[in-house]
Amino acid sequence: MARLIKKTVILAKVEVTSGTDSVPTGAANAIQVMNMSITPIDAKMATINTVTPWFGGSIDLVAANSVKCSFEVLLAGSGTAATGPAWGQLLLGCAMAETTGLTVPNRVEYDPITEALKSLSIYYYDDGVQHKLLFAMGNVKLSAKSGEIPKLMFDFVAVDGGATAVTNPSAVLTAWKQPVPVTKANVTDILLGCTYSAGALSGGTSYNSTGLTLDWGNQTAFVPMLTTETVVLSDRNIKGSLELELTAAQEVTQLTNVKANTSTGMGFTIGTATGAKIMLFAPAVQLLNPKKVDNSGMRLIGFDIGLNPSAGNDELKIISL
């Protein structure tokens, strides 16, 4: 019988010791995914290029190999303001830290980190074949565009934990909630010049927009050595893009800000109900590379954006409210 791509199950759990299997289970660690893919052997090849008295190639030897996988998840709250969303565990493998127990209002916050990075054990079941990814660390992108479903896109690099023919586990996906689409009724406008404190954005100017995209820009690499195989996450550079509806005067002001290398706070909120709100805040956003955009005959101004640290490890805060 044919094996089906639809019958894919992915589990992920934070490792206590990086590289040591944390044994995720279908009951506690299942990931609800879209658009998944896996490279089961991402090999560095060593070629034996001997001279022979005949035409033909030489054997290639697998000198070292890692595993890569990617998938998308829906960006939604947990349903309870004090409980972290199901995708939070994935952010921990992307140089982010989770802070729980925050009150007034009840919320969970995610912030970038440089020290004490965490890795994941990922089990990728491809209709009867289990691929184990250990020491998994990766990059994440966020898309929240008008008329679309907000989502996070993950790319992980991992140490090869082996492949085994086994039956797919049952996946419990109740922790994964339905997101709200990015529409007028469900989101705020982009705020520029705002500040953040204790679960609330304040100040700033609201701009009509088509939403935004972000890319953490995490630098990850598989590092094979004689006695160890590890994954290293060595840097981060968060970039993104947005398109704003600006008055003529506002456009001139923003073009001036671009030329002056001005940084400003930026906020954006998806969702309106308690337990279903996701807030983004960046304290030092730089608008870059302005461009004229035609949106069904309307003039918008598009910008690339750079999210830079203000005091360090603070270039982007994600709040689940």
Side-chain angles (χ1 to χ4, degrees):
M1 182 177 294
R3 292 168 58 206
L4 302 178
I5 295 172
K6 185 85 172 181
K7 295 170 67 175
T8 298
V9 175
I10 299 177
L11 317 177
K13 184 179 180 181
V14 173
E15 294 173 340
V16 176
T17 301
S18 289
T20 299
D21 192 349
S22 59
V23 194
T25 67
N29 310 112
I31 309 299
Q32 189 174 64
V33 299
M34 306 174 293
N35 299 324
M36 62 284 176
S37 67
I38 186 167
T39 303
I41 300 177
D42 188 41
K44 177 182 179 181
M45 307 302 296
T47 300
I48 298 176
N49 199 16
T50 54
V51 176
T52 62
W54 51 77
F55 290 160
S58 300
I59 190 171
D60 291 330
L61 303 180
V62 177
N65 73 278
S66 58
V67 186
K68 294 181 178 180
C69 75
S70 64
F71 48 81
E72 300 174 356
V73 303
L74 299 172
L75 181 63
S78 67
T80 304
T83 300
W87 41 262
Q89 63 189 314
L90 300 172
L91 285 183
L92 300 186
C94 298
M96 299 285 283
E98 179 183 69
T99 304
T100 60
L102 299 171
T103 59
V104 193
N106 291 333
R107 64 194 188 278
V108 177
E109 296 185 354
Y110 297 89
D111 296 280
I113 56 174
T114 301
E115 305 293 338
L117 304 184
K118 296 184 181 299
S119 59
L120 307 177
S121 291
I122 299 175
Y123 288 6
Y124 191 115
Y125 292 88
D126 183 22
D127 194 5
V129 175
Q130 179 205 59
H131 300 275
K132 281 190 180 184
L133 292 77
L134 307 179
F135 218 134
M137 303 179 81
N139 185 46
V140 56
K141 300 175 183 179
L142 181 149
S143 178
K145 298 289 291 181
S146 177
E148 299 178 4
I149 298 298
K151 61 185 178 180
L152 297 170
M153 297 155 280
F154 291 93
D155 294 284
F156 287 103
V157 178
V159 172
D160 185 2
T164 310
V166 295
T167 302
N168 283 13
S170 296
V172 177
L173 299 171
T174 52
W176 294 86
K177 305 303 181 183
Q178 180 174 299
V180 296
V182 182
T183 63
K184 175 183 176 182
N186 295 327
V187 304
T188 64
D189 288 330
I190 298 287
L191 278 173
L192 294 180
C194 62
T195 59
Y196 172 83
S197 179
L201 297 170
S202 59
T205 301
S206 177
Y207 293 91
N208 194 18
S209 77
T210 59
L212 58 78
T213 63
L214 297 173
D215 182 344
W216 271 239
N218 288 343
Q219 301 298 308
T220 56
F222 171 66
V223 182
M225 299 182 70
L226 295 183
T227 57
T228 60
E229 290 184 333
T230 59
V231 175
V232 174
L233 200 163
S234 58
D235 204 356
R236 172 180 60 243
N237 188 9
I238 305 180
K239 301 291 187 182
S241 65
L242 48 74
E243 297 171 351
L244 304 177
E245 183 181 18
L246 302 176
T247 66
Q250 287 173 332
E251 179 183 350
V252 171
T253 296
Q254 295 301 345
L255 293 178
T256 300
N257 289 338
V258 170
K259 289 186 283 187
N261 305 307
T262 301
S263 293
T264 187
M266 181 185 74
F268 183 55
T269 305
I270 303 168
T272 59
T274 299
K277 293 172 63 175
I278 303 297
M279 182 182 291
L280 308 175
F281 174 70
V285 172
Q286 187 177 6
L287 300 182
L288 305 163
N289 305 320
K291 56 189 72 69
K292 303 281 189 175
V293 177
D294 179 348
N295 184 12
S296 300
M298 286 181 57
R299 170 60 71 217
L300 302 182
I301 309 300
F303 297 92
D304 295 330
I305 54 175
L307 279 63
N308 300 313
S310 176
N313 293 314
D314 61 352
E315 57 264 52
L316 175 63
K317 182 184 289 288
I318 301 177
I319 307 99
S320 178
L321 291 156

